[in-house]
Amino acid sequence: MSTDRLAGETPPGQEAAPGTAEAQTPDDTTAPGDSPAPGDDAMVNEGAEAEAPGAGAETPGSGARAETPGSGAEAGAPAAGAESGAPDSGSESGAAADGSEAEIPAPGADAGAPLTGSEAGAPAAGSESDATARGAEPEAPAAGAEGKAPAPGAPKESPASGAAKATADALAAAVRAVESGERSAASFFNDAPRPAKPAAPAAQPAKAAPQSGPAGPAPDVARRRTAQETGGPARPGVPDGGATAPAAAPPATGPAAAPRPAVPAAPGVAGVRQVLAAGGAPETLAEQAAEVLGERAAEALREDPWLLLGVPGVRPEQADGFARALLGAACGPGDERRAQALVGWLLEQAALAGHSALEAAALRAALAQRAVPDPDDALQSAIADGAVLVFQDAIEEPGRARPATGDDEEEDQPVRILLGLDRFAMAEESVADGLARLLNTFETAAEPVQDTASAEAGDDTTAETQQPVAGDGTAADESAAAAAPATDAPTDDAPAPRPVRPSAAAWEAAAAAAPSPSAAELIRAAAHSGLVAHTGAEAARTEPAALIAAARSLGLRAFGATHTENGRRRLAAHLTECAPDTAATGSADPATAAVTVSGLLSGREGPGRDADGALALDLLVVLDAPQLDLETAALLVESLTDGTRLVLSGDPGVLWSAGPGRLFADLLAARFCPQVASRTPDFGPIGELVSGIGIGELSQVEAPGKEVVIVPVRDAGEAVHRTVQLVADSVPRALGVPADHTQVITVGHGGAAGTRALNAALKERLNPGPGRFGGFDPGDRVAYAPAPGRTVPGTVTGADAAGLHLDCDGSAVVVPREQVGAGAVRHGWALTAHQAAGTRWPAAVVVLPGDAVGGLTRAWVYTAFSRGERHLSVVQGADQALARAVAEVPVKERTTRLRSLLQQSVQSAEEPSVAG
């Protein structure tokens, strides 16, 4: 690894640095701590690693701490004791469905700020670095809300009755017993006292049991019971030591605003604008609010102003200000409507950070940080109303044997109580059910049985039992059966053609012809299992390609799906190498077997769907599997028919998906299916460097051809200057890689060396212009987010009334003007590591400013450093923090249920054999 300057590189002091630390794009106008607008950071895969609100919270008094961004300083969380991660300096935050960055609730954040036009989700200058580090003031209850009786009409302001108090005490004691191990988890759900508040009458219908084969039933889903079944909703766990007190809040600085007189709302969006204006909120939120809240959005907002939290980009303090403007003294921090809205908002923020559920203690602590007086009561009400679901998740204890069958042993298994939103719970369970179905309905290819007596007698049946192999490796009778529909038109009475089922001998012959031992092992695993997990780095992608080529040679409909178009092209090249003589034989182009996940699901690419709506294929290999989020994975698995082979392949060292979940990591940890680990290493200096990072070592590598160059910098301004110099001058001159083939990767969007500052400086140097097309000019490199979790690189070619015209990997794309305004298109010279995942460039420049070290993890460094094919430049301003992150911070953990669901499925499948 070289620290020398590239040929012709100008010393930093001899050239002005365009786009230095002061350079900000026009959207950086609001104060620190404001939430970004729904479209501001609309690259949905740009930050799924930000920690969820209250994630990893500990019980009060346990020494928990709240992490402040960027600096690593520790501060005690007021009265909550939660260990809550906050976005660091420019670090990537969770990707919402609308693409906005995750905002982590700060302890005691100010709840009194009214919602103004600039605050309605507009991005803040350096908001990623300052969101919580500057010591946001605790939320202040509305005037008159503290120590006074509530105004008429204020909900839940009277003291609890004796019966209700007794119920609450009984529930708290019951859950403390569960968490301490004195009572079983089942009693938490079955024996909880009935609460004073009646349960919501509506209950969601139970999911249909998945189809299963002889191997055993589908996963035993963590039980959920309605209030009618349990006699009342289960109250989430209360930490030892009693109820959690709300965070201290200073008194309000002035009297609460008097409620404005009610005016009949106009119909539709016009009525929503009217209500928003009455509450001092920007009318630009009207269309989004109407979309989220439906036809009665205006009436709903008047009755419950905190419903505004359901609009992407709106923060609790902004919703509080809106509520006070409409309700005046009739509202306060303890308003039940506020608590319910906060529960949903916190779980949505958790999803942005990658969590599919949160522990009850973590969610309760986050509510306390938001000045909710009774977090337990808020959670109980949310459960009773069906707003959240309750799950029990077994806790794995090192050295503890798996409990045997029997109720007594199961009750001794320690569990944790999780709360989650319905959509993510259903997606996680659907994935678990679908994976179990693929395993259970798979039929292993059997060896043909030869009748030796008939063979000695010269019986003609010998030819039928031996199944001679055709020239393409398929059994002859199977080839004939597959070809029959092409020559004989099927009739209504004719049976459906038998699907191609290669024999075990045919699979073994294909494995023997594989290009590498690891590829042969993968082919054998796919021959004998309906679900296989394959791990490996970039060089290992040839092994799934060899499997696809082998399966197609056996007559199977085999396809490979990748996360990005760039990955699809690389897979297509590998497929062509594995089958170089297909053009001469007249077979289909093997590159057509490479598709993207989005193209496969939409029908634009791949085989399409059969009459039943399932994907018309026999084997699907999904590369870049770590980038699969729960909802996409659920849709994909549900689209596969029984008996289809599914191979999930990916590099376990890269960042997880932008959306919630960690499907690939949970599948590997559960040991749910056969796993094949590639033994094919990545070669060259970059491969050697990245391989060391994968095991926690940041070592120096020899780079005689300047494949790896380290550029030390003192501050963020110098980092921007040196980055522009590398992209525009040094790398093209020394290595022959043009600027449009070099990708800059940095930690986050904000800060003095985030994507905004870097893109502004790079545009000024590489393609200066006034930005006459919504901030863009022809020739600008952009990153387009057509859907959550996807980033498509492109180049602006023009604009008209229809929208912004892009050239995305050779395809013409028109982005409507409203999407451009919402932030679906950003400048793309500089990306975050999440945006860059799944794509590689000839050269990569990774920028590590000193103010963003809090966002560094081993997975982030591994992902960023592995994006360059021929060259990697590291603009190093993090000093020793880089080595510490690689050695000590593997990943930012996520709370999920999939691993437990898969393990329950394995246990359920083993129980019949144990009982027998």
Side-chain angles (χ1 to χ4, degrees):
M1 192 156 38
S2 172
T3 58
D4 298 334
R5 296 190 181 90
L6 296 175
E9 190 173 81
T10 307
Q14 299 179 11
E15 183 178 323
T20 55
E22 292 76 22
Q24 297 289 339
T25 50
D27 55 359
D28 292 332
T29 56
T30 56
D34 288 348
S35 172
D40 172 60
D41 289 324
M43 302 322 304
V44 294
N45 56 347
E46 65 198 26
E49 295 301 326
E51 300 211 2
E58 302 177 2
T59 57
S62 63
R65 64 184 184 278
E67 296 183 287
T68 57
S71 63
E74 300 177 4
E83 184 174 347
S84 169
D88 45 82
S89 156
S91 64
E92 303 170 60
S93 55
D98 62 347
S100 59
E101 294 182 4
E103 198 61 56
I104 311 305
D110 182 17
L115 189 64
T116 63
S118 63
E119 293 172 336
S127 60
E128 290 83 346
S129 60
D130 301 334
T132 56
R134 298 189 179 182
E137 294 182 1
E139 294 190 54
E146 185 174 336
K148 296 183 180 180
K156 295 189 70 174
E157 292 295 329
S158 59
S161 65
K165 182 65 166 61
T167 298
D169 292 342
L171 281 170
V175 179
R176 280 197 299 272
V178 171
E179 292 187 338
S180 63
E182 297 175 5
R183 293 180 59 181
S184 68
S187 67
F188 179 88
F189 293 90
N190 299 331
D191 305 333
R194 182 180 300 275
K197 180 178 177 177
Q204 294 204 350
K207 287 187 59 182
Q211 301 178 8
S212 61
D220 180 17
V221 178
R223 74 161 100 186
R224 298 190 312 273
R225 299 199 176 194
T226 61
Q228 291 86 348
E229 292 172 331
T230 61
R235 180 187 289 270
V238 179
D240 294 341
T244 304
T253 55
R260 304 191 180 192
V263 179
V269 177
V272 179
R273 287 196 182 95
Q274 186 178 5
V275 176
L276 291 174
E283 299 180 18
T284 54
L285 296 176
E287 293 185 3
Q288 286 181 294
E291 182 179 354
V292 171
L293 302 178
E295 297 180 355
R296 298 186 62 255
E299 298 177 26
L301 282 174
R302 281 196 182 279
E303 296 172 1
D304 185 354
W306 285 281
L307 291 176
L308 192 64
L309 269 179
V311 177
V314 176
R315 288 175 51 82
E317 54 267 27
Q318 297 167 333
D320 287 341
F322 176 69
R324 281 200 300 274
L326 289 180
L327 303 178
C331 69
D335 195 301
E336 182 180 4
R337 295 166 293 182
R338 177 178 185 267
Q340 296 305 295
L342 281 174
V343 169
W345 182 82
L346 289 168
L347 287 173
E348 288 288 353
Q349 296 304 299
L352 299 184
H355 304 270
S356 62
L358 280 182
E359 292 191 40
L363 189 54
R364 182 180 53 251
L367 288 171
Q369 290 174 350
R370 290 285 171 183
V372 175
D374 191 348
D376 286 324
D377 185 69
L379 292 182
Q380 177 186 340
S381 299
I383 295 168
D385 293 342
V388 298
L389 303 179
V390 187
F391 312 96
Q392 58 177 353
D393 188 32
I395 299 176
E396 294 292 333
E397 293 183 346
R400 178 189 176 92
R402 178 180 295 176
T405 57
D407 294 337
D408 295 339
E409 289 83 356
E410 290 181 359
E411 288 184 359
D412 292 338
Q413 177 75 13
V415 298
R416 58 177 179 172
I417 305 302
L418 298 179
L419 303 177
L421 296 175
D422 179 84
R423 55 182 286 208
F424 303 123
M426 293 299 102
E428 212 154 19
E429 292 168 9
S430 177
V431 170
D433 293 351
L435 296 180
R437 174 176 58 85
L438 293 177
L439 271 180
N440 297 339
T441 59
F442 176 77
E443 297 181 15
T444 304
E447 291 287 357
V449 179
Q450 181 175 349
D451 189 340
T452 56
S454 298
E456 293 174 358
D459 196 328
D460 293 339
T461 58
T462 303
E464 296 179 4
T465 58
Q466 285 182 333
Q467 291 189 349
V469 177
D472 61 352
T474 309
D477 62 339
E478 293 171 352
S479 300
T487 56
D488 300 326
T491 62
D492 294 340
D493 298 331
R498 183 164 60 91
V500 175
R501 294 191 61 233
S503 66
W507 278 108
E508 183 58 34
S516 69
S518 293
E521 185 180 357
L522 179 60
I523 292 173
R524 292 188 181 98
H528 299 290
S529 178
L531 178 66
V532 177
H534 171 258
T535 59
E538 182 63 27
R541 293 170 76 94
T542 58
E543 296 159 18
L547 169 62
I548 296 170
R552 291 173 75 87
S553 72
L554 297 178
L556 297 179
R557 300 167 296 175
F559 289 83
T562 64
H563 184 60
T564 63
E565 176 64 23
N566 178 278
R568 188 202 65 79
R569 287 202 306 269
R570 286 181 282 136
L571 174 60
H574 290 314
L575 288 172
T576 303
E577 293 173 2
C578 292
D581 56 346
T582 52
T585 60
S587 302
D589 182 4
T592 59
V595 299
T596 61
V597 172
S598 60
L600 179 68
L601 292 175
S602 66
R604 299 191 319 270
E605 304 170 10
R609 297 180 181 265
D610 59 21
D612 297 326
L615 292 171
L617 45 74
D618 303 308
L619 182 146
L620 176 63
V621 180
V622 180
L623 286 82
D624 306 320
Q627 273 73 60
L628 273 180
D629 63 90
L630 282 177
E631 292 179 300
T632 302
L635 182 59
L636 187 66
V637 173
E638 290 169 357
S639 299
L640 300 179
T641 189
D642 293 355
T644 302
R645 291 175 170 90
L646 174 63
V647 177
L648 296 176
S649 175
D651 189 342
V654 301
L655 290 168
W656 292 330
S657 63
R662 51 173 192 179
L663 180 145
F664 195 55
D666 283 338
L667 179 65
L668 295 175
R671 298 284 178 181
F672 183 69
C673 64
Q675 299 181 17
V676 177
S678 173
R679 297 185 296 276
T680 305
D682 284 348
F683 297 100
I686 296 178
E688 181 183 351
L689 174 64
V690 173
S691 297
I693 293 172
I695 60 174
E697 297 178 359
L698 185 64
S699 56
Q700 211 169 22
V701 297
E702 294 296 329
K706 292 194 179 294
E707 294 88 351
V708 179
V709 175
I710 307 299
V711 182
V713 294
R714 294 182 298 273
D715 52 41
E718 185 182 358
V720 173
H721 163 72
R722 298 300 293 272
T723 300
V724 173
Q725 188 180 68
L726 285 166
V727 174
D729 182 35
S730 302
V731 173
R733 181 181 303 165
L735 303 172
V737 179
D740 57 349
H741 289 167
T742 300
Q743 184 61 55
V744 177
I745 301 171
T746 189
V747 179
H749 297 291
T755 61
R756 297 190 188 107
L758 286 167
N759 276 317
L762 288 164
K763 174 175 172 56
E764 181 180 346
R765 176 70 178 272
L766 300 174
N767 193 46
R772 59 184 181 275
F773 299 141
F776 301 96
D777 294 298
D780 278 358
R781 282 179 64 178
V782 295
Y784 169 45
R790 292 182 56 208
T791 295
V792 179
T795 304
V796 177
T797 58
D800 54 25
L804 192 66
H805 291 254
L806 307 177
D807 177 6
C808 298
D809 292 310
S811 301
V813 176
V814 180
V815 184
R817 298 179 64 176
E818 56 271 18
Q819 291 189 23
V820 176
V825 181
R826 307 173 60 100
H827 285 108
W829 286 283
L831 301 175
T832 65
H834 271 93
Q835 291 174 307
T839 304
R840 300 189 86 203
W841 292 266
V845 177
V846 178
V847 184
L848 302 174
D851 62 351
V853 296
L856 296 180
T857 64
R858 182 187 306 164
W860 192 97
V861 178
Y862 186 98
T863 304
F865 282 23
S866 60
R867 296 309 95 193
E869 296 174 334
R870 294 170 46 194
H871 174 74
L872 169 67
S873 284
V874 180
V875 180
Q876 163 64 302
D879 199 23
Q880 295 302 314
L882 174 61
R884 285 196 298 272
V886 170
E888 303 172 8
V889 192
V891 293
K892 291 184 178 178
E893 289 297 335
R894 296 182 175 187
T895 302
T896 65
R897 298 173 49 237
L898 182 59
R899 178 180 177 180
S900 295
L901 293 175
L902 294 175
Q903 289 173 333
Q904 290 169 17
S905 177
V906 173
Q907 235 177 327
S908 299
E910 292 175 350
E911 282 175 2
S913 60
V914 173

